[in-house]
Amino acid sequence: MSDVRIIAAGIHPFGRTPGLSGLQQGVFAVRQALAAAGLDWRDIQFAYGGSDSAGNADTMVSELGLTGLQFINVANGCATGGSAMFGAYSTIKSGEFDLGIAVGFDKHPRGAFDPKPADWGLPDWYGETGLMLTTQFFAMKTQRYMAEHGISVQTLGRVAEKAFANGVATPHAWRREAVDLETILAAPLVSDPFTKFMFCSPGEGAVALVFASAARARRLGLDGVRLRAAAVRSRPPGSFEVFSPALDIVRGPSPSTLASRAAFEMASVAPADIDIAQLQDTEAGAEIMHMAENGFCADGDQEAWIVEGRTRLDGALPINTDGGCLACGEPIGASGLRQVYENFVQLTDQAGARRVGGDPRLGYSHVYGAPGVSAAAIVER
């Protein structure tokens, strides 16, 4: 069983890129990652890649080169990137190959995602009630969580304020202007309790990560970061996830909790050991709920954490240091890999003005997708 290292990373800026397809943005990210590692596409032994609405990732071989490598397409909702990374991790861990790549990209049209009930095994009535609209579902879920655990609307606003502040210092972010708390709270309401600044937007972008065994990384003279854990889990009984047609009376854990526990066990570390975290934040409430689901605090403690600034760049546990989905937007295929990219540049001292304080050693990432799939990863400098 080989140790797995991420030795290089590439990113195409998130946002809107007229005239460039999602696939071409993926090719851009791959070429940037290869250049950073001093590698050629012909050196790569395998690839995992995915997108939601921009074509099959394996078709990028037409531009990168027809080398005959093993290329697996991945589709797992918003957890596509995390799942592609799990494939790369497992392939090298098994010893089958020692050099590969995970890539994710997307190019979504303007407006909210518009999934169809039948595609998710749901009856038409579920869509007719409006619950296929994810903005409405997550607003309802957050309302329930706020009522149960004493989370205020002001705290939702502070999550968004932090995200946009971090985005200012992030070259790949879509939203790079600070927005003050008063403006966020006074903005038009989209789905109560969320104003327009508390939701991310579907967008475009791409990320590629190069993976190697520890032995291959040494031969290449590239340290990068060690991928100590990668885990993917689906929803258990009693969880209440996007596209859930009912809320069970007997509640169970979430897929995020299961993936988190698996990752911490695999890495032999605890939440308190983590120095920097990237958590799924498709809306401000998600970051709050995922802080608890991933074991970083108890339900309800987020109110104090955020007021005290503990999740800011100079806080005890910086969260979503590049602005997360709120500032970067969410191209589904790329989003989970963007989180790992951010931890990579933070731990290898390439984050520039948004670099966190201290001497971070362990980075955590978490992505969550419909209809209840979560991936978690831990990297170490």
Side-chain angles (χ1 to χ4, degrees):
M1 301 289 282
S2 173
D3 276 350
V4 181
R5 302 195 75 85
I6 301 173
I7 59 172
I11 193 165
H12 184 282
F14 283 34
R16 298 282 179 211
T17 309
L20 202 61
S21 71
L23 187 71
Q24 289 170 325
Q25 293 175 53
V27 169
F28 177 97
V30 169
R31 286 175 173 159
Q32 187 182 85
L34 292 173
L39 295 169
D40 187 89
W41 176 245
R42 289 170 295 185
D43 298 319
I44 300 301
Q45 300 165 340
F46 70 89
Y48 288 84
S51 80
D52 179 73
S53 59
N56 293 328
D58 69 312
T59 60
M60 66 172 55
V61 299
S62 297
E63 295 198 39
L64 291 168
L66 304 177
T67 64
L69 86 168
Q70 172 182 290
F71 202 130
I72 308 298
N73 288 322
V74 180
N76 224 0
C78 296
T80 292
S83 300
M85 182 184 63
F86 176 79
Y89 169 82
S90 300
T91 300
I92 290 179
K93 191 79 174 173
S94 71
E96 181 70 19
F97 295 114
D98 66 2
L99 186 64
I101 202 161
V103 57
F105 58 87
D106 249 311
K107 189 179 182 77
H108 301 298
R110 292 175 59 86
F113 294 120
D114 186 28
K116 302 298 185 287
D119 294 339
W120 299 87
L122 294 168
D124 288 343
W125 67 258
Y126 190 80
E128 292 164 0
T129 64
L131 288 175
M132 288 302 292
L133 191 63
T134 53
T135 51
Q136 181 167 315
F137 176 89
F138 285 119
M140 292 174 60
K141 187 173 182 178
T142 297
Q143 285 275 30
R144 179 185 179 91
Y145 190 85
M146 292 169 68
E148 289 181 335
H149 300 293
I151 305 297
S152 67
V153 174
Q154 286 74 20
T155 295
L156 297 178
R158 288 189 176 95
V159 169
E161 182 184 38
K162 170 182 64 71
F164 295 122
N166 291 352
V168 170
T170 304
H172 64 256
W174 185 4
R175 313 296 187 191
R176 301 197 61 200
E177 293 184 7
V179 184
D180 63 82
L181 180 61
E182 182 178 355
T183 300
I184 291 168
L185 296 176
L189 198 66
V190 177
S191 292
D192 193 12
F194 297 132
T195 70
K196 72 173 187 177
F197 289 111
M198 298 178 189
F199 279 114
C200 80
S201 298
E204 305 175 22
V207 178
L209 304 174
V210 180
F211 296 78
S213 67
R216 185 65 180 270
R218 284 194 298 270
R219 292 199 300 272
L220 292 168
L222 298 170
D223 288 333
V225 297
R226 179 187 175 193
L227 181 54
R228 289 190 58 170
V232 179
R233 294 292 186 271
S234 58
R235 63 194 187 280
S239 66
F240 186 52
E241 312 304 331
V242 62
F243 306 153
S244 294
L247 177 62
D248 290 348
I249 294 175
V250 179
R251 300 301 305 277
S254 73
S256 295
T257 300
L258 297 183
S260 175
R261 289 173 181 169
F264 284 122
E265 181 177 355
M266 192 181 302
S268 298
V269 299
D273 298 318
I274 299 299
D275 299 303
I276 179 173
Q278 319 299 329
L279 305 178
Q280 180 85 343
D281 65 329
T282 44
E283 73 290 331
E287 179 173 321
I288 290 170
M289 289 186 285
H290 290 148
M291 287 171 62
E293 288 186 359
N294 286 275
F296 295 111
C297 66
D299 291 312
D301 285 355
Q302 302 98 320
E303 185 84 3
W305 270 56
I306 292 167
V307 169
E308 295 166 5
R310 297 179 67 180
T311 62
R312 293 185 175 272
L313 290 179
D314 59 352
L317 180 66
I319 293 177
N320 292 330
T321 51
D322 66 351
C325 290
L326 291 175
C328 294
E330 189 186 27
I332 283 178
S335 196
L337 293 178
R338 173 191 55 77
Q339 296 176 326
V340 183
Y341 171 91
E342 176 64 11
N343 282 338
F344 177 86
V345 299
Q346 288 282 352
L347 297 184
T348 56
D349 199 18
Q350 301 177 68
R354 69 183 186 281
R355 188 183 188 281
V356 303
D359 188 25
R361 184 179 67 90
L362 288 173
Y364 181 91
S365 61
H366 154 268
V367 66
Y368 166 90
V373 179
S374 185
I378 298 173
V379 293
E380 179 183 34
R381 174 176 54 78

